[in-house]
Amino acid sequence: AEERPEQPFWLDRAEEFIDFILTHHLNLGQYENLRKFDFVESVDPEHRPWVEKDGSILCDPGHALEFIGLAGKCLLQMRDPVRFKNISARCGALLPELFCHLFELGFQLGPGGIVKSYDLVRRRNVNSDMPWWNLPETVRAGTQLCVLYPKESERLLPLISAALETFLSRYLQKNGF
């Protein structure tokens, strides 16, 4: 989309992708056993949350935050206010709140990072590994949301700062690795 802005195909696909994810992976009340703004990692062939054998429904907060970053990157390219009016309005109403919800689910200040998976049914961590990449992806996603929705910056900036500080102090070594 960035390289070929004259070709509507790329932003059209991006809009479809974002809409699909928001419709089928984000709970806005359609999934009774989940809380509002819970984000399911996987869906079954009928586009319902994938239920594991033990009854859990998983969320990977890092993947979900990465989705927000990708959606934000696309939204920054969707400059036509008429053509992209619906998706822009939908994202403005959902993405900042989703960002905050996912951060609350996944961020662990003590060990410092964002957990790999969280059980949305039992409301607990399943895999407490904290990959390094979740933090810069969170910073990118949150920063893009601040650009897209400046009125949300006040509540997003502390979360962005926490992710950045954790990355810089616990993952990035003095030698740059």
Side-chain angles (χ1 to χ4, degrees), residues 64-82:
L65 289 160
E66 186 177 18
F67 159 73
I68 293 173
L70 177 59
K73 185 173 184 176
C74 293
L75 289 163
L76 289 168
Q77 296 297 314
M78 295 175 175
R79 295 188 180 106
D80 185 333
V82 175

Side-chain angles (χ1 to χ4, degrees), residues 100-174:
C100 294
H101 181 75
L102 292 166
F103 193 87
E104 182 181 320
L105 285 183
F107 186 74
Q108 304 291 306
L109 182 60
I114 297 173
V115 299
K116 183 65 183 141
S117 61
Y118 184 87
D119 180 353
L120 297 169
V121 175
R122 292 176 186 87
R123 312 308 295 179
R124 62 178 174 87
N125 294 335
V126 174
N127 182 343
S128 59
D129 290 352
M130 297 180 201
W132 68 269
W133 61 264
N134 286 342
L135 295 166
E137 287 291 344
T138 298
V139 171
R140 177 176 74 112
T143 303
Q144 288 171 332
L145 291 178
C146 287
V147 170
L148 288 162
Y149 316 109
K151 291 179 182 176
E152 299 290 343
S153 294
E154 188 175 325
R155 71 180 180 144
L156 297 174
L157 285 173
L159 307 181
I160 296 166
S161 295
L164 182 59
E165 175 56 34
T166 300
F167 177 67
L168 295 175
S169 67
R170 303 211 177 156
Y171 288 81
L172 193 62
Q173 298 176 26
K174 292 181 183 182

Side-chain angles (χ1 to χ4, degrees), residues 3-58:
E3 294 294 320
R4 296 191 169 90
E6 73 285 354
Q7 296 178 358
F9 172 84
W10 305 108
L11 289 179
D12 289 346
R13 294 302 78 75
E15 181 179 24
E16 289 173 17
F17 173 75
I18 294 166
D19 186 62
F20 180 90
I21 297 296
L22 292 176
T23 299
H24 300 292
H25 291 261
L26 175 61
N27 183 40
L28 295 174
Q30 73 273 32
Y31 306 129
E32 294 175 12
N33 55 339
L34 302 179
R35 293 183 187 169
K36 189 171 184 182
F37 287 99
D38 278 352
F39 193 95
V40 301
E41 175 72 5
S42 302
V43 294
D44 67 17
E46 287 80 38
H47 305 301
R48 293 181 308 238
W50 179 267
V51 180
E52 298 291 327
K53 289 179 183 178
D54 67 356
S56 62
I57 297 174
L58 300 180

